[in-house]
Amino acid sequence: MSQTAPRNLISALIILVNEVFASDDESTYSENELYQDEEELNEPIILTTRVSTISRRNVPKVAGYEEIVTERMLDNDFKTHFRLHRSTFDLLLGKININLQNQTRPTSPDKMLLITLWILATPESYRSVGCRFGVCKSTVFRIIRRTIDAIYETASTTIRWPGATEAQNIISANSSTAGFPGVLGAIDGIPIPIGTPQHSSGTYINRKGFHSLQLQVV
């Protein structure tokens, strides 16, 4: 083994330790939580074991935003922030609650859904969202991924064509609220910005001049 190899290893360890002390992870963040997913198990066991024994600094975060602030929001204010009425939020939470429950994680399903909806509705960094909801930014990342997966699992029962009775109810509601008779639904599209594709990038340029994928919503 060359002399540069041990030096590189020592340098890597120094960088890793500095990263740990400089990170904004919570002091109670367990090794289990850091490396729960198989794709995250990339570091040698000896490193993860020793790094987990190093105390992380406790970064101050907003306390009680979910428990105090969101609970006191009027329905219109709640919808402004989370893009759903509270009744719709409760309905969605009831559908995905069982898939979000995890005995090894202290984050409640309702907080997980609130964090995910906030990120989807507001162009804000994981760091600032984590500070608002009292979790670290890496936890925000995992919460969003798991919540989106849980919502996706409801697609087969949620995204469907309405039956005859439900269709007539929708038509009646559209007629009374919007004044359009005989309308079952509406179709619209929106461009979702993407990075420049490596191949055939010109075919992804929309009429507004940037690369995107077109999302059609019914």
Side-chain angles (χ1 to χ4, degrees):
M1 180 181 293
S2 65
Q3 293 182 351
T4 58
R7 291 177 182 174
N8 290 338
L9 179 58
I10 292 173
S11 298
L13 284 170
I14 292 174
I15 293 173
L16 184 60
V17 170
N18 287 336
E19 286 284 333
V20 169
F21 279 110
S23 71
D24 63 351
D25 286 357
E26 296 165 313
S27 58
T28 57
Y29 214 66
S30 67
E31 182 183 341
N32 247 359
E33 190 169 1
L34 277 169
Y35 301 101
Q36 181 165 352
D37 296 328
E38 291 182 0
E39 65 267 25
E40 292 170 343
L41 292 172
N42 295 323
E43 297 294 334
I45 296 301
I46 186 172
L47 290 182
T48 60
T49 301
R50 293 186 178 180
V51 168
S52 66
T53 63
I54 301 175
S55 298
R56 295 172 174 81
R57 62 192 181 92
N58 190 13
V59 178
K61 298 180 176 67
V62 176
Y65 183 82
E66 173 210 359
E67 298 84 354
I68 300 174
V69 179
T70 61
E71 287 296 324
R72 295 180 179 178
M73 284 181 182
L74 299 176
D75 189 54
N76 286 339
D77 294 331
F78 187 89
K79 186 177 185 297
T80 298
H81 288 298
F82 299 101
R83 299 297 193 268
L84 295 178
H85 288 292
R86 199 179 292 274
S87 58
T88 308
F89 174 88
D90 292 337
L91 179 65
L92 178 58
L93 181 62
K95 289 179 176 292
I96 66 175
N97 182 65
I98 190 170
N99 292 328
L100 295 181
Q101 291 178 354
N102 192 321
Q103 297 297 329
T104 65
R105 291 178 177 276
T107 308
S108 63
D110 54 338
K111 176 180 279 192
M112 293 176 70
L113 183 54
L114 286 171
I115 289 173
T116 302
L117 292 175
W118 187 281
I119 282 286
L120 294 176
T122 308
E124 199 169 345
S125 68
Y126 288 176
R127 174 184 52 78
S128 59
V129 173
C131 182
R132 179 184 299 275
F133 286 92
V135 297
C136 63
K137 61 183 179 182
S138 54
T139 300
V140 172
F141 171 79
R142 278 188 287 271
I143 283 174
I144 294 170
R145 186 176 61 182
R146 286 179 169 84
T147 307
I148 292 295
D149 286 344
I151 294 174
Y152 179 75
E153 290 180 7
T154 70
S156 60
T157 58
T158 304
I159 305 175
R160 57 180 175 78
W161 191 256
T165 302
E166 186 180 2
Q168 188 56 53
N169 292 336
I170 294 172
I171 291 172
S172 300
N174 286 333
S175 179
S176 61
T177 58
F180 291 105
V183 175
L184 178 58
I187 300 177
D188 199 1
I190 183 173
I192 306 300
I194 61 173
T196 303
Q198 293 183 356
H199 305 287
S200 304
S201 60
T203 61
Y204 291 89
I205 298 178
N206 60 36
R207 62 183 178 84
K208 296 183 179 180
F210 60 88
H211 294 91
S212 68
L213 291 176
Q214 190 71 13
L215 172 65
Q216 188 178 66
V217 182
V218 180

